[in-house]
Amino acid sequence: MRPFLIWLIVAIAGFAGVGGYWHTHLTEEPRRVLVVVDASYPMDDDWGRVGGWLRNLSQQRYASFALFTDKGKVHGWRGQLDLGATRPYAPRALDRVLQLSGTTDFESASRRILITNAPAKDLAAWSGWDIIRP
């Protein structure tokens, strides 16, 4: 019985040590998630759902978020996604977002997400992105 208790104590201590290490590491260096929201006139009908998608994405643990629209940057890296007063306006300009792909925010992201209702033919250049569609 005594060897089992020693093994149990060592196993619990080992799991606790590894778990504590990863918690500390991921808290100090969270995953970076870049989110781009299509804020064009065609998104007006689906705009009510965008806030819910952003809230769901913000619930990820150990993540920081940068938010862009097809019109420009909304905010840099933070713990929560916040559209603020952004509303859909102007024609769709997703190509402008792809031109930013060499910037620091885009290069440091470990995951890239696009929220849009654009037709599939307009999204051919968005390979490697997770696309959320209404």
Side-chain angles (χ1 to χ4, degrees):
M1 184 67 158
R2 185 176 172 115
F4 174 73
L5 289 175
I6 292 171
W7 173 85
L8 183 62
I9 291 169
V10 169
I12 291 172
F15 282 120
V18 169
Y21 167 78
W22 279 110
H23 171 74
T24 303
H25 175 71
L26 291 173
T27 300
E28 291 174 3
E29 295 181 34
R31 289 173 297 197
R32 291 182 171 228
V33 180
L34 176 76
V35 179
V36 174
V37 176
D38 178 358
S40 62
Y41 287 136
M43 278 291 288
D44 199 35
D45 294 338
D46 297 312
W47 196 254
R49 290 189 239 157
V50 172
W53 288 324
L54 296 180
R55 276 189 299 281
N56 287 343
L57 288 170
S58 292
Q59 292 176 356
Q60 293 180 29
R61 290 185 67 186
Y62 308 120
S64 64
F65 304 92
L67 182 62
F68 285 75
T69 69
D70 57 329
K71 312 304 186 257
K73 186 175 186 175
V74 177
H75 65 73
W77 300 108
R78 359 172 135 158
Q80 298 288 321
L81 290 161
D82 182 20
L83 269 175
T86 305
R87 301 291 308 156
Y89 68 96
R92 185 174 280 138
L94 294 175
D95 293 338
R96 280 197 276 175
V97 176
L98 289 177
Q99 293 172 358
L100 298 173
S101 63
T103 63
T104 305
D105 289 331
F106 278 67
E107 291 299 319
S108 64
S110 58
R111 182 177 179 201
R112 296 176 183 94
I113 300 172
L114 172 65
I115 300 174
T116 185
N117 63 0
K121 66 179 178 62
D122 293 347
L123 302 175
W126 292 81
S127 63
W129 286 70
D130 296 329
I131 298 177
I132 297 175
R133 301 177 62 86

